[in-house]
Each structure stands twice: as C-alpha cells, then as structure tokens.
Amino acid sequence: MTIRDEIVDAIVSAINAADPTGVQAERDKMHPVDNTGLLPSIGVYLGREDTAAPSPSGGKWGHLAEHMLSVKIEILAFGKPVTKALDPLAARVVKAISGQEFGGLANRIFIGSKQWTYNDTDRQVCELALDVAVEYTTAAKDEALLTD
Amino acid sequence: MPTFFGDDDIPQMLETFGVPIVVAGAEGIGIVDYVDEMMLQAMGIGGVIGRSIMVTVQTSAFPGVETGNAIQIEGIPYEIRHRLSQSDGAVTQLFCQVPAA
C-alpha cells in the first residue's frame, strides 16, 4: 500500500467521520448517480501528482521524494441555489480535512480551487468540484515508505 | 395528394401516440418522450443520470404557453422548464421538470 493510497483513504475516512449520519464519501465512484437514486453524493478521485526532482548530488534529503498530490472531491446535489444545495456538504468536507496530516502521512493539505457546475433535466442538479492539494514525502525509491 | 400536412392534420397524428395533458388549465393531448441523459461528469467519470421529459403538442391547442406554467402529464404534475417551437411553429416541444419542493 503506497502512502498515496493511505492518504486518499484517510481523506475519505475523515469526511465520513465528520458526520456519520450524513452523506458518505466514496472513492473512485465511477458509476453515475441515477436520478431516481439518492443525491447528494460525495466522490473522491485522484487527479495528478507532481514529484520534485531529487537533488542530483544527493545531500541531506536526497533520498526522499516530495510529492504534490492533487485530489478532486466531487459533491453532487439536487436543488438551487447552489450555495443552499452544496455549501453544507462543502463546509463539512473542508472542516474535516483542513489542517490534517493524517497521522504523519501528509506534510500539509490545502483546498485549492472550487468549481461549480449546473445542469437540469427533470430536476435541477449542481456539482461542486474541490481541488485539494496534498504535499507528502516518501522514500525516493519506495512510495510505500515515509523514509528509506 | 398533398405531400405536406396542415394544422388540421396534427390532432390525428397526436392521437396515435398522444397521452392526456393539462397545460395551465387547458386539456389536450401530447406525445411524451422520456430520455435519460448523462450530465455533470467531472473528469469524465461519475456524474448524474438525468431524465429529460419532452412533450410535443399542437401549438394552436395551447396558445400562450409560458415557461413556469404548470403541466400535468397523465395526471402527474410538472412545470414547464422551457419550450421550443418547431419548424413552422405548428408544433411545440415542452420540456418539463419536477416542481420545486
């Protein structure tokens, strides 16, 4: 299990622990939510990861790799306005993960951008995509280890 | 034999597939299509399946139809999200949504 995998699991757990009676987040929710099914929903997805090039001369920290992991959290809900439909869930998500280090797995985490999208067919549906950046460090040669 | 149809022909065409509807208190018939469509797919995954409800009616049978009007389709209440006149305007498509709670 990579540190990356543990971090994303930890994000999902933190969101779900924030309100056990509410909407449960789900990793890699590939299937669409059927309109006849339940909304709202929260999906957690990996976006991309950038890793800083290690120092060619090695040096004190040359054996470590610093990663910037982009995680996208998608919140879907019925209704309008979007702030009424989505903000309660968004606030819960932000509160759950802000400032977290997930037991030392992450160096820091912060909410990057928020993007709202709207659509309607027989009902009005809206989406908030939160871009979350997670900075973490692993051994340069083994992403399952925090240090070598 | 004419190769076109007139306004008088439309009711017969609607009768074949039409169902009872009531728009802003006016009764008539319309052809209803329910079509599912994908929407709100972040990064091409997830998203929502929405149902598009479209009613095709004779325009002259429901004059003055406006967005936001109440509509009943076989007794089920909806409201008109928007309307689009088609071609020469003899028929109109009414797109419907579930009324806000």
Side-chain angles (χ1 to χ4, degrees):
Chain A
M1 191 176 197
T2 62
I3 302 302
R4 176 188 312 112
D5 193 38
E6 290 188 63
I7 288 172
V8 180
D9 276 351
I11 289 173
V12 172
S13 297
I15 294 170
N16 291 342
D19 183 2
T21 61
V23 182
Q24 296 292 284
E26 179 183 339
R27 266 191 77 169
D28 300 345
K29 186 174 64 60
M30 307 297 284
H31 56 278
V33 177
D34 196 304
N35 208 1
T36 60
L38 292 175
L39 280 181
S41 76
I42 302 174
V44 179
Y45 306 91
L46 287 176
R48 63 173 283 159
E49 182 174 284
D50 296 298
T51 301
S55 167
S57 60
K60 186 176 181 182
W61 306 110
H63 58 294
L64 299 178
E66 282 199 357
H67 310 281
M68 187 60 79
L69 175 64
S70 170
V71 175
K72 188 177 288 290
I73 300 177
E74 178 197 48
I75 304 172
L76 293 163
F78 286 127
K80 69 174 185 180
V82 289
T83 44
K84 292 281 190 296
L86 294 169
D87 272 10
L89 287 170
R92 188 184 114 195
V93 168
V94 170
K95 188 175 181 180
I97 64 175
S98 290
Q100 286 273 12
E101 294 182 359
F102 304 118
L105 293 172
N107 301 334
R108 65 190 181 112
I109 182 170
F110 57 95
I111 309 295
S113 64
K114 297 184 182 76
Q115 182 171 323
W116 289 266
T117 314
Y118 312 76
N119 209 326
D120 67 348
T121 47
D122 62 339
R123 298 186 195 196
Q124 296 180 356
V125 185
C126 49
E127 173 202 57
L128 171 58
L130 293 98
D131 284 316
V132 178
V134 184
E135 183 185 278
Y136 72 103
T137 307
T138 64
K141 295 180 180 178
D142 191 342
E143 293 188 338
L145 298 176
L146 289 170
T147 60
D148 62 354
Chain B
M1 183 176 180
T3 57
F4 54 88
F5 61 85
D7 205 44
D8 291 344
D9 300 312
I10 295 175
Q12 298 172 49
M13 298 164 66
L14 293 176
E15 280 176 9
T16 305
F17 300 107
V19 299
I21 63 169
V22 182
V23 183
E27 296 183 16
I29 55 173
I31 297 173
V32 185
D33 290 299
Y34 300 94
V35 181
D36 284 350
E37 59 181 74
M38 294 292 300
M39 55 185 179
L40 297 180
Q41 287 182 292
M43 303 188 300
I45 54 180
V48 177
I49 299 173
R51 171 166 285 189
S52 179
I53 304 171
M54 184 184 75
V55 185
T56 303
V57 299
Q58 183 179 21
T59 305
S60 61
F62 299 97
V65 168
E66 296 178 357
T67 297
N69 279 165
I71 178 171
Q72 283 188 28
I73 304 171
E74 294 185 283
I76 300 173
Y78 296 95
E79 66 183 30
I80 296 172
R81 176 160 60 99
H82 67 270
R83 59 164 199 85
L84 294 173
S85 293
Q86 298 298 305
S87 185
D88 61 356
V91 295
T92 296
Q93 293 175 335
L94 307 175
F95 293 83
C96 306
Q97 65 184 13
V98 175

